[in-house]
Amino acid sequence: MNANTSRQHPAEWDQDAQLLSQTARDLPTGRHQFHKERLMAQIHEQAQQVQREERTATATAPPKARRFRLPRPAITLPAMAAALSAVVIAGVVTVGGDGSGIRDSGVATGPALTTDVGTASTKGVPQLLDQISLAAAEGDHPTVKPGQYIYIESVLADTFVKTVNDKSSLASHELHRRQIWESPDGVKGWLIDPAVNDGPEGETLSLPDEQGNTPKAHLGSPSFDYLTKLTTDPDALLAKIYKETKGQGNTPDQQAFTTIGDLLAESYPPAELYPALFEAAAKIPGVVVVDDAVDAAGRHGVAVARLDETSGQREEWIFDKKTHVYLGARNVQVEPIKEEGILIKSGTVNFTMAVKNRAVVDGMKQTPSQAG
C-alpha cells in the first residue's frame, strides 16, 4: 500500500464520482482530473485509472477500483502536466469567497508534514531485501476461510495544497485511524475512515455497486483470493507487474515499485507470495536503502525506497531494523518542486501511514480484540 496514495482538469463526472467526498464534488471544474477518486477520499487506484485514460482513449485498462484505496500522491509526466490547468501534490481544499470553509473530510487540518530526508544508498539493497524476505516467509500468515474477513487497521496523514480565497498554501490532514474489512473473494467489505466516510459508522464496500457492477480483482485492487493465484516466481511476477501496469505512473520502474508497495500496505499477501514480492522488488532499477525512516506511528525503521525522478518524491517502505517486519510507508519530497505556485520543499511528507493491526476475523466490523 495500496493510497494514496491527486490531479484534475475540466471533465464531466462519471459514475465513479459517487465515491468522492462532498468537497470533491464542489471543486471548481479546473481541478477535475487527477484528483478524481483520490481527492480527500484518498483513492490511489482510481487516480491510476484516470492517468491511463488520459494517455489514450483506446488503451486497455483493468476494471475500476472496487475499494477506497490508500492515497499515494504522485506528479504526472511533464507532457501531461502541461495539458492541465492545475497539478497538485495530494489534494485541494477550497474555501468560499465569503471565508466559509468547505470541509474536504472528517479530519482536521494543520501545517505541512515535514521530516529529515535521510541518507539513501544502493549499498546493501540485496542483503536487506533478502532479510526482509526471510522474515516475511517465517511470519504468521493464517489461512483465510470463506466467511472470514481480512482486517487491516492503520493510521495515516497527508500533506496537500489548501486554497482559501484563491490563495494557496500547504496544509496537512491530521493523523487518523483507518479500518477496513474485506472478504477473501473481495465481494464484501466495510471501511471506517473519517477522511472518506460521511459518518463515524463507516460505509459498505460490498459488491455489486450501485450500478450493479462487480469488477474483477486485479493488481491495482486485489482480493486475497486473487493474491493466492499470483505466481511466486520473482521474475515472472515482476514481468506480470510491468505488463499489467504499462502506461501507468511516471515510469515503468516507478510504477512497478509502487504496485508492490501497495500490495504490502493494504492487503494480506499469502506467506508464499511475500518473498516473491521482495525478490521482485530487488530487480527493479533504482531501489535504495534509507538508513532511518519514521512511519506514521512514530516508529523508526530502515526503508526500501525509490526516487521518482519526475516528481522528486521518494516512496519508502519502512521495516523494523531488527525483526524486518513491515511497519508502514511514506512519500517524501526529496527534490524541491513548485506546484500551483507553491514550493514543495525537500523534507515535505506528502503521505505517511503505519499498519497497526493486520488479522483475520470471523465477522464484518469485528476487530481482533473482540474476537478474543
Side-chain angles (χ1 to χ4, degrees), residues 239-298:
K240 178 181 178 64
I241 291 172
Y242 275 113
K243 180 180 179 180
E244 296 194 10
T245 61
K246 184 178 180 180
Q248 299 178 32
N250 290 331
T251 65
D253 292 334
Q254 187 63 38
Q255 185 57 40
F257 188 81
T258 294
T259 299
I260 295 175
D262 287 347
L263 294 178
L264 299 175
E266 197 165 81
S267 67
Y268 207 162
E272 60 273 15
L273 182 61
Y274 260 113
L277 289 172
F278 295 121
E279 291 174 33
K283 299 175 182 294
I284 300 174
V287 175
V288 297
V289 172
V290 178
D291 58 348
D292 185 60
V294 186
D295 71 6

Side-chain angles (χ1 to χ4, degrees), residues 5 19 25 27 58 61 106 143 160 216 246 279 295 350 356 363-365:
T5 185
L19 299 177
R25 293 191 292 269
L27 284 173
T58 60
T143 301
F160 60 95
K216 294 182 179 179
K246 184 178 180 180
E279 291 174 33
D295 71 6
N350 298 302
K356 300 303 294 290
M364 184 88 80
K365 291 187 281 186

